[in-house]
Amino acid sequence: IESVAASFGFDGTGIVSLSGGTTDWTNTGDLTVADFGNGTLNISGGATVSNTTAVVAGSENSTASVLVENTGSKWTTTGNLSVGGTMIAAGGQATLEVRTGAEAATTGTLRVWGDAEVILGGGLVTAAQPQPTGGTLSGAGIHAGNLSNSGVVSPGATPGAISVIGTYDQTADGTFAVE
């Protein structure tokens, strides 16, 4: 599948599910999952999605979820990825869950706003500049890239572990929550 830009969940409900190792969606522009509506993006079974920039639940009145699961499944953003808002303002409720064997990667900034959560379900999240801006990074998995916590980092249920490949900076505004 090829597209220049894509938006679903705009002023309504939109669901996109991609599954299978030969399923690839190349979006050469922006990808928006829910803006003034509800949106769901499921990437599984080795499917891949790539885009330039991505917004998940960009506006206050939106709800969105992105699930990347199964070995070989990958979501790649070559620009910025914002979960629970845009790069400049908080938006709606959002989750990005990356399970075992799957990966979500951005070469730009990963911004996670207050009503948003990135859940490491054993998967890998790679970000050049992660910025939990009041949002939550939880679960167990690997975060590749330097991590500056101004939100909540919560390794999850015992024996939860978030491995950071890079540096970890605990800011005064951030919370490191453990059991």
Side-chain angles (χ1 to χ4, degrees):
I1 303 168
E2 293 184 14
S3 59
V4 175
S7 178
F8 53 95
F10 181 80
D11 202 20
T13 299
I15 300 170
V16 174
S17 294
L18 302 163
S19 182
T22 60
T23 306
D24 300 308
W25 179 12
T26 302
N27 181 21
T28 58
D30 299 339
L31 175 62
T32 302
V33 181
D35 201 10
F36 300 103
N38 302 308
T40 302
L41 174 60
N42 295 315
I43 306 166
S44 64
T48 62
V49 173
S50 62
N51 51 268
T52 304
T53 61
V55 173
V56 181
S59 65
E60 288 181 0
N61 300 321
S62 57
T63 302
S65 66
V66 176
L67 173 63
V68 188
E69 64 178 344
N70 307 123
T71 300
S73 299
K74 187 173 182 179
W75 181 21
T76 303
T77 301
T78 59
N80 297 323
L81 169 58
S82 183
V83 182
T86 65
M87 288 307 293
I88 58 173
Q93 297 177 337
T95 58
L96 166 58
E97 183 174 359
V98 185
R99 295 187 180 163
T100 302
E103 181 180 356
T106 178
T107 58
T109 299
L110 169 62
R111 172 127 334 141
V112 184
W113 290 95
D115 281 340
E117 183 171 14
V118 174
I119 303 166
L120 291 171
L124 172 65
V125 172
T126 304
Q129 299 175 342
Q131 297 180 349
T133 309
T136 302
L137 174 64
S138 68
I142 300 170
H143 179 281
N146 298 331
L147 178 60
S148 179
N149 180 22
S150 61
V152 177
V153 172
S154 177
T158 303
I162 295 176
S163 298
V164 176
I165 300 172
T167 61
Y168 176 82
D169 178 39
Q170 178 66 46
T171 69
D173 294 332
T175 301
F176 184 74
V178 294
E179 293 182 350

